[in-house]
Amino acid sequence: MEMFKKWSIRIFGVLAIFLVVLSAGTVVEVEAAAKKTEIIVSAAASLQDSLDKMALLYEKKHPDIDLVFNYAASGTLQKQIEQGAPADLFFSAGDKQMNALVNAGLVSDHKVLLKNQLVLVVPSNSKASLNTITQLTDKSFKKVAVGQPESVPAGQYAQQSLTAKKVWDTLQNKLVFAKDVRQVLSYVETGNVDAGFVYKTDALTSKKTKIALTVGPHVHKAINYPAGIVKDSKNQKEAKELYSYLQSKEASDIFASYGFLLS
């Protein structure tokens, strides 16, 4: 009986030590997680697939960094930053939005990293054949989706293209406006519209649509993707490291694999 008590005391002692060590380990893990630096990247919706993939690689190499992405239309993101929304990096799908923030003194280092192409997509089962965007005036096209020109660069490029071809006003009754290119793509995928203007990179991600026409670059402004560091970022060092990584070969290869053209 006396020996049983001694063994019981030893077992409980070992368990107590184990629980203390386990608890200490949990505390260390929680503290480590709490020490992660959160970097907020406000990026154009068309960058989502490539940046999500890039983030997995970057966070493995930088376990102390937690990348948080805010995807939306570039114009919407511009307004958010102007209104003081937290952001460390801005990655736009247009020069206009980046230049506005640079001129307002809200973005410091910035550079055009990528280029893209504007395409017209139709549902994958569509029999439509297009040689020019002016054919959108045909009766076979009842609804055409474009991004809101005021906030969506792809919408601005579409407006410029249709205006250059003198059919922007003619198509007003057919146009369905979307909050960003991903919504345009969704409208086409679901068959809610007969065609839509998106970037080539967006079109390549969808199996439910197909590219009916690549819009000539001469009818719209250059589709540039500039990235820049937000001046009010509280994590300047980490933001600059990420900014540099976006220009690395590894990041460039990822962007290229999604159809982006390197600047």
Side-chain angles (χ1 to χ4, degrees), residues 149-221:
E150 296 79 15
S151 58
V152 184
Q156 294 167 11
Y157 302 131
Q159 182 182 32
Q160 291 165 7
S161 303
L162 294 170
T163 300
K165 291 292 185 177
K166 300 179 180 179
V167 292
W168 173 255
D169 293 333
T170 307
L171 291 172
Q172 286 305 301
N173 291 333
K174 294 186 177 185
L175 298 181
V176 176
F177 295 100
K179 65 177 182 178
D180 56 41
V181 285
R182 287 308 171 93
Q183 190 171 66
V184 171
L185 190 66
S186 176
Y187 286 164
V188 181
E189 287 178 331
T190 54
N192 287 318
V193 298
D194 303 300
F197 286 93
V198 299
Y199 297 121
K200 181 180 179 181
T201 51
D202 295 295
L204 294 176
T205 67
S206 175
K207 293 181 179 180
K208 296 180 180 180
T209 67
K210 60 184 179 182
I211 297 175
L213 181 71
T214 298
V215 181
H218 60 285
V219 291
H220 59 72
K221 290 184 178 179

Side-chain angles (χ1 to χ4, degrees), residues 81-82 98-108 229-232:
I81 294 173
E82 287 175 341
M98 180 62 75
N99 291 340
L101 294 181
V102 171
N103 293 336
L106 297 175
V107 167
S108 53
I229 299 172
V230 178
K231 277 190 178 180
D232 283 345

Side-chain angles (χ1 to χ4, degrees), residues 36-251:
K36 279 194 173 187
T37 301
E38 189 177 86
I39 300 298
I40 301 174
V41 182
S42 289
S46 52
L47 288 161
Q48 183 167 350
D49 297 295
S50 55
L51 287 182
D52 282 351
K53 183 175 182 179
M54 184 209 73
L56 295 176
L57 297 175
Y58 192 81
E59 288 180 345
K60 281 184 180 180
K61 292 183 178 181
H62 302 81
D64 59 328
I65 297 295
D66 182 20
L67 295 181
V68 177
F69 293 97
N70 174 25
Y71 295 114
S74 299
T76 299
L77 298 173
Q78 172 202 332
K79 295 298 181 185
Q80 289 176 358
I81 294 173
E82 287 175 341
Q83 292 166 9
D88 298 290
L89 229 75
F90 177 46
F91 207 156
S92 175
D95 289 318
K96 178 182 176 182
Q97 294 74 23
M98 180 62 75
N99 291 340
L101 294 181
V102 171
N103 293 336
L106 297 175
V107 167
S108 53
D109 297 349
H110 63 284
K111 182 180 181 181
V112 173
L113 303 185
L114 308 169
K115 293 181 179 295
N116 214 332
Q117 293 173 283
L118 186 68
V119 299
L120 189 67
V121 293
V122 295
S124 55
N125 60 356
S126 173
K127 296 180 180 180
S129 178
L130 290 164
N131 297 313
T132 172
I133 55 176
T134 58
Q135 288 176 258
L136 292 174
T137 58
D138 293 350
K139 292 181 180 179
S140 56
F141 293 97
K142 295 179 175 60
K143 293 182 180 180
V144 179
V146 297
Q148 285 282 359
E150 296 79 15
S151 58
V152 184
Q156 294 167 11
Y157 302 131
Q159 182 182 32
Q160 291 165 7
S161 303
L162 294 170
T163 300
K165 291 292 185 177
K166 300 179 180 179
V167 292
W168 173 255
D169 293 333
T170 307
L171 291 172
Q172 286 305 301
N173 291 333
K174 294 186 177 185
L175 298 181
V176 176
F177 295 100
K179 65 177 182 178
D180 56 41
V181 285
R182 287 308 171 93
Q183 190 171 66
V184 171
L185 190 66
S186 176
Y187 286 164
V188 181
E189 287 178 331
T190 54
N192 287 318
V193 298
D194 303 300
F197 286 93
V198 299
Y199 297 121
K200 181 180 179 181
T201 51
D202 295 295
L204 294 176
T205 67
S206 175
K207 293 181 179 180
K208 296 180 180 180
T209 67
K210 60 184 179 182
I211 297 175
L213 181 71
T214 298
V215 181
H218 60 285
V219 291
H220 59 72
K221 290 184 178 179
I223 302 176
N224 294 328
Y225 280 67
I229 299 172
V230 178
K231 277 190 178 180
D232 283 345
S233 168
K234 297 178 181 178
N235 307 294
Q236 287 291 320
K237 177 177 176 293
E238 292 82 358
K240 288 179 180 178
E241 288 176 353
L242 177 59
Y243 177 65
S244 295
Y245 175 78
L246 290 173
Q247 302 173 57
S248 69
K249 185 181 184 303
E250 183 173 84

